[in-house]
Amino acid sequence: MAGQGPGPPMNVEQIVHQAENFEYNPLVPFRHWSRSAGTLLKEADIYESEGNDQQAYLLLFRHARLVLDHLPTHPEARLGENGSALQKLRKDVLRNFARLETLKPRINRRYDRYQWILKERSRTKAANDRAASLSPRGSENAAEKRGHSMLPSDPALSNGLPETLTAGENRDLAVQLAHKEIRRRATARKATRQTGISEEEEHERRTAGLWGGGEEALIKNDHNVDRELLSKQIHNIRLQVHGTKEDVPRHASSRDSPETKEAYYQYPSVPQQMAHDQSALQISARNTSSDISREVATPMLQPPLRPPKDLGLGMDSQSLPPRPSKEHISRTQSTGQRSTPSPAQQDPKPTTFTFKPSAYLENGTPLRTIFLPPDLRHRFLSIALPNTRANLETCGILCGTLISNALFVSKLVIPEQESTSDTCETVNESELFDYVDGEDLMVLGWIHTHPTQTCFMSSRDLHTHCGYQVMMPESIAIVCAPSKEDWGVFRLTDPPGMKSVLNCTQSGLFHPHAEANIYTDALRPGHVYEARGLEFDVVDLRPAS
């Protein structure tokens, strides 16, 4: 579910088509999909605040499709606390229908203006060509000048798109932008909490993207909202589709949008009660010229168990999966961060710039840049030193945020964990994610040590990282081998790595996989860039010894 790079404006139908273009796999544990849904909303909030309505709409629609169409069919949907988690996710979708309705007219106006500029450019060029065939050279030049002065040179940028930047050439600017924006968000978060709003209420409101008073009714009575207000909205929209209208509550989200052309599209269905009513309510709203095709997720077998550690297995180097080869990077490419700033770059703002994707998955999906503090691994190794001396692994979680279509690692969180010489297991995950959500952070990957081994991704590491990469395709795994003075930044290939690991039922620490290129380097080359001067904090959640 990677972010899309900058491009020409799209209409809602095109955005919906892209939003549905993601692969749902029921073999992935329900908790990973639940975390992925939360990440989608965090990203949508940020994109919307930065003025990127197009990407915000895509993520909100994708979230609705995931929650309403796929997760109810997951094999683990009714296990333990997953049922209540699904209800909370549905409540988020309900709130976001109003946001989708608000974004629609803005997106379509921008798209219509873009199309008008393209048509005017084509018309002006045709007029100039006709004049050129009938007029002397001087008249031709004058006509061309008049035509070019009337229309912008770039129709995409004329619609207010931010300046597009490459990560490798603008690392200093990225650091400056990150420091300013992270401090601004922290100040805003602190001011919000000083008003007496609890962290739980703050999280609910932030997830909903609403800070007015209208959403309070939604929070107070979930069941009434699901069965009464939502059903009225759906019924009214259905009547509109069939050519009739009926009044709906003033705060319903089915209001008309001020568009010049009528069209319709189909929201994902909203089940009322999973245990009592399996019928899906089809939500439709105006904006596309045809119904959106829907996939039906077929329940599959339970996800394979995570392979146990085989501590008795020998450390024969021939049994280790091969480490991806690294390409040589020139000194200028690896260390150069200097670029000549434009006047607008003197005071960078997220709405002014956007970083274009710096790499792509093997299936062509763009990967947003991850900016990584170069000092982070050294700080982590110093924290892990007592364990390393005792031949015990240590792990940490890489957390950060999204700014201008790039991801910035700003927190190194050391979770409560249990370690052996070959394993490191996070325990008390609820405390970890409570902290992450409370600080409005995103999980961008993880880092761990191999105290005596070389730098590679073991089969256990591959299965662990698969969960991270499901939540965010850009997620990375940093492996540090202090005894070898080596380290690396990796990701699973997709394909074939992700599917291979998801479908793997083998056990053992170093069990083989058929694919040779199951993972790859994400730093040399890849979508990860070290940014000198990027600040980060360390948060140690381990109990005091």
Side-chain angles (χ1 to χ4, degrees):
M1 300 186 183
Q4 301 296 318
M10 296 186 294
N11 60 23
V12 172
E13 182 178 8
Q14 294 167 334
I15 296 172
V16 168
H17 179 73
Q18 283 197 11
E20 293 190 324
N21 185 26
F22 74 94
E23 183 176 357
Y24 169 76
N25 190 330
L27 292 176
V28 176
F30 183 92
R31 70 180 188 277
H32 291 323
W33 281 121
S34 178
R35 294 297 308 176
S36 181
T39 300
L40 287 174
L41 290 188
K42 288 181 180 179
E43 293 186 25
D45 289 345
I46 293 173
Y47 278 118
E48 186 176 4
S49 69
E50 294 179 353
N52 193 336
D53 295 340
Q54 187 167 292
Q55 187 67 9
Y57 193 100
L58 184 150
L59 294 171
L60 291 174
F61 193 96
R62 182 171 290 175
H63 174 270
R65 182 71 186 275
L66 172 64
V67 172
L68 301 180
D69 289 351
H70 295 308
L71 292 190
T73 68
H74 194 282
E76 301 174 359
R78 293 178 174 85
L79 300 180
E81 298 179 353
N82 292 344
S84 59
L86 185 56
Q87 288 295 335
K88 292 180 180 178
L89 292 174
R90 284 173 174 158
K91 184 172 68 174
D92 292 336
V93 174
L94 175 62
R95 292 189 181 106
N96 289 329
F97 280 138
R99 297 176 67 184
L100 289 168
E101 290 293 318
T102 300
L103 292 171
K104 282 194 304 181
R106 299 209 300 252
I107 291 171
N108 283 332
R109 281 196 297 268
R110 188 175 190 179
Y111 176 80
D112 290 342
R113 171 167 167 74
Y114 174 73
Q115 293 298 318
W116 178 85
I117 290 175
L118 290 181
K119 290 178 181 179
E120 285 298 302
R121 171 178 285 181
S122 177
R123 185 187 63 79
T124 302
K125 183 178 183 301
N128 290 341
D129 290 343
R130 287 194 299 271
S133 63
L134 301 174
S135 305
R137 183 66 181 173
S139 299
E140 176 186 347
N141 291 338
E144 289 180 355
K145 290 179 181 179
R146 286 195 300 271
H148 287 297
S149 63
M150 291 170 57
L151 297 175
S153 59
D154 189 332
L157 293 179
S158 70
N159 281 265
L161 292 182
E163 180 182 350
T164 302
L165 302 177
T166 56
E169 299 174 359
N170 294 277
R171 282 182 255 190
D172 285 338
L173 177 63
V175 170
Q176 184 183 358
L177 178 66
H179 289 170
K180 181 177 180 180
E181 182 63 13
I182 290 173
R183 292 190 185 106
R184 186 196 66 78
R185 295 179 187 178
T187 300
R189 188 164 56 249
K190 181 179 179 180
T192 298
R193 292 176 181 173
Q194 287 177 345
T195 63
I197 296 176
S198 66
E199 289 191 15
E200 181 179 358
E201 184 178 0
E202 177 195 355
H203 173 64
E204 284 193 350
R205 291 189 175 193
R206 183 172 59 245
T207 302
L210 299 168
W211 282 94
E215 79 278 16
E216 292 179 1
L218 303 181
I219 299 174
K220 290 180 180 177
N221 195 331
D222 279 350
H223 297 291
N224 289 340
V225 170
D226 287 343
R227 290 185 291 185
E228 295 177 12
L229 173 61
L230 184 57
S231 63
K232 290 179 181 179
Q233 294 175 357
I234 297 169
H235 180 60
N236 184 74
I237 296 173
R238 276 181 164 176
L239 292 176
Q240 291 177 2
V241 172
H242 289 88
T244 60
K245 293 185 179 181
E246 180 179 289
D247 291 337
V248 294
R250 184 181 297 271
H251 53 282
S253 62
S254 56
R255 58 186 179 278
D256 293 340
S257 58
E259 301 170 24
T260 57
K261 186 188 300 183
E262 285 208 3
Y264 302 98
Y265 72 91
Q266 193 174 65
Y267 281 121
S269 58
V270 184
Q272 287 185 4
Q273 297 264 344
M274 178 163 46
H276 303 292
D277 186 2
Q278 295 297 325
S279 64
L281 301 175
Q282 297 297 323
I283 294 186
S284 300
R286 293 198 241 170
N287 231 330
T288 62
S289 58
S290 62
D291 290 341
I292 302 301
S293 61
R294 298 162 51 86
E295 300 175 324
V296 178
T298 303
M300 299 178 65
L301 298 176
Q302 291 286 340
L305 296 177
R306 194 176 180 187
K309 281 294 186 178
D310 188 353
L311 301 180
L313 200 62
M315 296 301 294
D316 183 2
S317 61
Q318 294 181 352
S319 66
L320 303 181
R323 180 176 176 182
S325 60
K326 297 182 178 180
E327 297 185 13
H328 175 71
I329 302 296
S330 67
R331 180 175 179 84
T332 301
Q333 184 177 359
S334 62
T335 62
Q337 294 190 192
R338 302 294 180 184
S339 59
T340 303
S342 64
Q345 294 176 358
Q346 302 300 323
D347 184 24
K349 298 177 181 177
T351 55
T352 309
F353 307 102
T354 184
F355 291 95
K356 64 182 181 181
S358 52
Y360 295 83
L361 290 176
E362 288 69 19
N363 61 17
T365 301
L367 293 174
R368 294 165 295 189
T369 299
I370 290 184
F371 287 104
L372 179 69
D375 298 333
L376 184 141
R377 70 179 184 277
H378 301 297
R379 183 74 180 278
F380 172 70
L381 286 173
S382 67
I383 295 171
L385 185 58
N387 277 0
T388 301
R389 288 173 175 169
N391 193 26
L392 298 173
E393 284 195 3
T394 306
C395 68
I397 310 299
L398 306 175
C399 298
T401 191
L402 170 69
I403 304 172
S404 297
N405 204 47
L407 301 160
F408 294 81
V409 176
S410 59
K411 285 278 198 308
L412 169 61
V413 181
I414 310 298
E416 186 177 350
Q417 53 196 270
E418 296 176 351
S419 302
T420 71
S421 60
D422 301 301
T423 68
C424 186
E425 301 288 345
T426 299
V427 298
N428 196 7
E429 283 191 345
S430 60
E431 180 186 11
L432 168 64
F433 288 117
D434 284 346
Y435 172 80
V436 170
D437 291 336
E439 295 298 312
D440 205 15
L441 295 169
M442 299 177 187
V443 175
L444 306 181
W446 62 304
I447 182 172
H448 73 290
T449 57
H450 285 178
T452 59
Q453 302 175 37
T454 57
C455 179
F456 72 103
M457 291 280 282
S458 69
S459 297
R460 181 74 166 191
D461 296 338
L462 296 175
H463 282 264
T464 298
H465 187 66
C466 186
Y468 286 90
Q469 205 162 314
V470 163
M471 293 188 288
M472 180 177 289
E474 291 88 355
S475 294
I476 56 175
I478 302 179
V479 181
C480 300
S483 66
K484 313 299 180 184
E485 297 185 351
D486 196 9
W487 67 287
V489 184
F490 307 113
R491 66 167 177 85
L492 295 179
T493 56
D494 190 10
M498 283 288 289
K499 289 185 178 180
S500 176
V501 174
L502 284 171
N503 295 323
C504 176
T505 58
Q506 300 181 76
S507 61
L509 183 59
F510 297 119
H511 65 262
H513 294 89
E515 293 78 8
N517 61 329
I518 200 166
Y519 70 101
T520 186
D521 201 308
L523 179 66
R524 298 185 280 266
H527 67 290
V528 179
Y529 284 83
E530 291 191 292
R532 188 171 54 248
L534 183 60
E535 298 175 357
F536 69 97
D537 297 321
V538 177
V539 178
D540 197 332
L541 299 179
R542 296 176 296 179
S545 56

